Amino acid sequence: MTAATHSTLFPQGTGGSPYPGPPSDADAVLEGLDPEQREVATALHGPVCVLAGAGTGKTRAITHRIAYGVRAGILPPSSVLAVTFTNRAAGEMRGRLRQLGAQGVQARTFHSAALRQLQYFWPKAVGGSLPRIVDRKIQLVADAAAALGTRLDRNELRDVTAEIEWSKVTQTVPADYPYAAAKAGRETPRDPAEIAHLYAAYEDLKRDRAVIDFEDVLLLTVAILQDRHDIAEQVRAQYQHFVVDEYQDVSPLQQRLLDLWLGDRDNLCVVGDASQTIYSFTGATPDHLLDFRLRHPGATVVKLVRDYRSTPQVVRLANALLAQARGRAADHRLELVSQRPSGPEPAYTEYTDEPAEAEGAARRIRELIDAGVPAAEIAVLFRTNSQSETYEQALADAGVPYQLRGAERFFDRPEIRKAGIALRGAARFGGNDSLLDDVVDLPSQVRAVLSGEGWTSEPPAGSGAVRERWESLAALVALAHDLAVARPRATLADFVTELEERAGAQHAPTVQGVTLASLHAAKGLEWDVVFLVGVAEGMLPITYARTDEQIEEERRLLYVGVTRARERLHLSWALSRSPGGRPNRRPSRFLDGLRPGTTPTVGRTGAGAAGGVERGTPASAAGTPRRLQRTPARCRVCGRTLTDAGEMKLMRCADCPSDMDEGLYERLREWRAAQAERSGQPDFCVFTDRTLMAIAEACPETPAELARIPGVLSRKLRSYGADVLAICAGQEPGQEDGGD
């Protein structure tokens, strides 16, 4: 079952909201929260950082925080903007807030919020209508490649498109792509210089055709807010309190937009878990979450570790998996504490080949369903979408209904479109519809209308397209029942409105069937029973994960998979790909020391962070540095707003005169060369030439001044800050290795 089902838009007593209706007052909103969740809900002023482990009720905590502030009269609903990363999550948040009596709060994705602002302010800032947003940029990339005489096969076309998307969300211009890609350790589908040319040609083609893409929505909003202070102030006057969910997935571009929304204020609450960072390939980075206390010294930090989702056995495996992790995210891992009754131990199974593994999983799933476990409460999770077909066939052969997560969207299915038309017609002209004669309550009305679309009280035999259509319509019937329980006076028109809102948010109801999904697509969801398949070397970690950072992200991906299970967890792997093949595969290294009869790999020791609250020191306290504010970049010579990445690093226009200390620049270059040789990296991985030029021009004297220079990120500041400041002061740098 998906998270949306357990936390539906409608109250469900113990399963969803504990209220038969909205809480009576602000204090009632706090009822049922644990001590840490209550701390989150009542921390309404200043910066707040919520470190929330898997299954610890983070969405519950932040929605109750917003609702408590609104119901107490502290937060005007229209002044709150809550942002998250998927339409489904935003829709779920709006539903919870509505049930808690906090209507009027904006809960949107970053892109949705930015697009709304861009559409509103474009005529004033630029003039005319906003350019058309292209649905699929891959065709534009193909046209750009053709214009350059470059031939790309289908896979290369997809991968080059992904590189362009990554470049834009990390604010990398075409000329800087080769350096940025090497620095990030990206596996490029073509020579980086060639991709840079393709990227530039793609941007030129967009301008020629007067279109923009998905990432441009954020980039253009950032540009307008940077350049037009009157518009920025208008936005800031509207939104004064911000909540950001899944903060570990924020990209540099999204963080820049958030900084501009905030201005010089600090009414910000962020929620995240560095151990669930699994989208770095898209530009996401946990650094913003991990550095929150550096940027906001006065922040309150609340750690949620009470796991309400999984049994102690599942939680124990999840904790042990992260106990072997390395790297910065592992330094901030949370030690989960299960709040559920004991359950079965995770099961580990080895198979001779992949078809046998799929048949074994299907056989066990058939047994579970026959024993009374709903099919919708079972999931099969795998590393890559290419693994799906084998399991689709095995489940079909076993007579098990299934649904593909990430396949055709629920509300785009033909039967759902037809059902929507029929329901709208019945809601409008129901008095003249013979189907609705003698039916009064909402569920009966919906069943009557859908009976004309192929729904029956009993499911059809077997599987296939007929069964899938029936399952889709049955999900609408179940949704009508939920709405009737939540709002006994709800009408058919109310149900149609609910469907339209859900369609807009892509907040689909649960379809009865086993879920097949990739580990990435499973993020944010949960089931009673989870089968993690293909947990073998070469698949998890995936073959192309080579660096330490990439390997650790693969470990976090497995951690996300483990923590999707509430009660039962099955892990399996195959020794060969096909029947009769060489048995040369081995179980994933991540299971060493976790499955019976194995020895743990050398990793971390000691427990992770416990739950609790850490109160920050107010920024005004003596000796405490103020948080570094991100303001529009302006040329320090002529004052013009800067938008070019290279000019922003220098903090001046390219044609404005430079006052760079040439001697300092050369000393910095010599120091950089030594650092690069010591760490075995190219020079630009320490600092680029433009960043060194910016340092030599600014000649910073304090860490705060150095941190203001674009290109000196928090990690660079920690690694190299002392050396750079010493060189700027005319001193010899320390001899410690400041490896990046």
Side-chain angles (χ1 to χ4, degrees), residues 416-553:
I416 296 301
R417 288 182 178 275
K418 289 181 63 180
I421 294 171
L423 288 165
R424 281 193 294 274
R428 189 175 304 163
F429 308 111
N432 300 317
D433 193 334
S434 60
L435 286 173
L436 300 183
D437 290 346
D438 302 322
V439 293
V440 178
D441 62 284
L442 176 61
S444 297
Q445 290 177 328
V446 172
R447 287 194 293 267
V449 173
L450 295 184
S451 65
E453 301 301 320
W455 181 83
T456 57
S457 58
E458 294 295 326
S463 58
V466 173
R467 178 61 183 253
E468 288 177 10
R469 284 195 295 272
W470 184 90
E471 296 285 4
S472 296
L473 297 177
L476 296 183
V477 172
L479 197 63
H481 180 268
D482 284 346
L483 179 58
V485 171
R487 295 159 57 189
R489 296 184 180 180
T491 65
L492 194 57
D494 293 329
F495 182 68
V496 169
T497 299
E498 188 62 49
L499 285 181
E500 290 171 348
E501 290 180 1
R502 279 177 169 255
Q506 287 301 322
H507 185 190
T510 298
V511 176
Q512 288 299 317
V514 172
T515 299
L516 295 176
S518 70
L519 288 166
H520 284 101
K523 178 75 168 64
L525 306 177
E526 57 187 74
W527 297 267
D528 282 349
V529 186
V530 169
F531 287 79
L532 287 175
V533 300
V535 190
E537 285 293 305
M539 191 59 73
L540 200 64
I542 199 76
T543 304
Y544 52 75
R546 298 188 179 93
T547 67
D548 290 343
E549 291 82 1
Q550 291 167 341
I551 294 295
E552 287 307 317
E553 181 145 337

Side-chain angles (χ1 to χ4, degrees), residues 530-662:
V530 169
F531 287 79
L532 287 175
V533 300
V535 190
E537 285 293 305
M539 191 59 73
L540 200 64
I542 199 76
T543 304
Y544 52 75
R546 298 188 179 93
T547 67
D548 290 343
E549 291 82 1
Q550 291 167 341
I551 294 295
E552 287 307 317
E553 181 145 337
E554 293 289 301
R555 187 194 306 276
R556 293 194 296 270
L557 198 54
L558 179 57
Y559 172 80
V560 166
V562 167
T563 55
R564 299 311 95 194
R566 297 195 195 104
E567 298 174 5
R568 299 172 183 266
L569 180 63
H570 299 260
L571 300 97
S572 63
W573 58 91
L575 297 178
S576 67
R577 181 173 183 178
S578 54
R582 292 183 58 187
N584 55 2
R585 292 182 175 177
R586 61 175 295 269
S588 169
R589 71 190 76 173
F590 299 146
L591 300 182
D592 291 347
L594 306 183
R595 59 191 179 91
T598 60
T599 303
T601 55
V602 178
R604 304 177 53 80
T605 59
V613 183
E614 298 175 8
R615 311 254 180 225
T617 304
S620 58
T624 303
R626 294 185 58 83
R627 87 174 180 100
L628 304 179
Q629 298 289 349
R630 293 290 298 274
T631 56
R634 294 186 176 278
C635 175
R636 53 193 169 79
V637 180
C638 70
R640 182 179 69 84
T641 298
L642 303 176
T643 56
D644 177 76
E647 292 182 340
M648 290 173 69
K649 284 187 176 181
L650 294 175
M651 293 304 292
R652 63 173 174 81
C653 302
D655 53 357
C656 281
S658 168
D659 53 357
M660 182 178 70
D661 183 331
E662 296 287 351

